[in-house]
Amino acid sequence: MGRKKSTEDMVYAYVDYELEDDTYLQGMKGNATYREIKEWIKAEYGMSVSSLYVAQIKEKCGFEKRQNYNIGENKAHVPNCPPEKEKAILEAFKHFRMI
């Protein structure tokens, strides 16, 4: 047993709608790639940050991380992020609505 659907009753309309501001996005968390974060910091502060520093601050903020398959033997020295770069990365997180 089946039911036929009449296509004559359906009306489709295209509505072009642009919001004047971004208030509808206020409750949503943002997302940015490492490259976007690094480029924004370079443009705003004129300093370069490494992906390692961004990852360290993401970990400090408690962001969810993927599994690292390239873990090494733990023999290398890992530098810590300097405070001025940490502040810049946190500002980038705020800019991209990640925090």
Side-chain angles (χ1 to χ4, degrees):
M1 217 171 183
R3 187 166 102 188
K4 287 186 179 181
K5 206 173 201 183
S6 173
T7 56
E8 297 170 3
D9 297 339
M10 294 183 186
V11 176
Y12 295 97
Y14 176 75
V15 178
D16 189 16
Y17 179 70
E18 286 187 34
L19 295 173
E20 293 183 14
D21 58 6
D22 61 351
T23 55
Y24 68 99
L25 292 173
Q26 285 180 347
M28 297 178 66
K29 281 210 171 217
N31 198 3
T33 63
Y34 281 68
R35 175 181 278 168
E36 290 172 335
I37 291 169
K38 291 178 356 179
E39 287 174 355
W40 187 86
I41 292 170
K42 183 72 171 174
E44 290 293 315
Y45 294 98
M47 69 172 76
S48 296
V49 295
S50 69
S51 296
L52 171 67
Y53 291 161
V54 175
Q56 286 176 349
I57 304 306
K58 281 180 115 178
E59 184 175 340
K60 199 174 196 179
C61 291
F63 288 134
E64 193 174 310
K65 297 188 317 180
R66 288 189 271 172
Q67 183 178 358
N68 182 6
Y69 295 103
N70 188 15
I71 53 175
E73 299 176 2
N74 293 328
K75 293 182 181 177
H77 170 71
V78 179
N80 290 324
C81 183
E84 64 275 1
K85 291 188 178 188
E86 181 177 349
K87 289 178 185 176
I89 293 169
L90 288 171
E91 287 301 317
F93 289 169
K94 289 177 188 174
H95 172 75
F96 289 109
R97 293 188 175 117
M98 296 171 70
I99 55 173

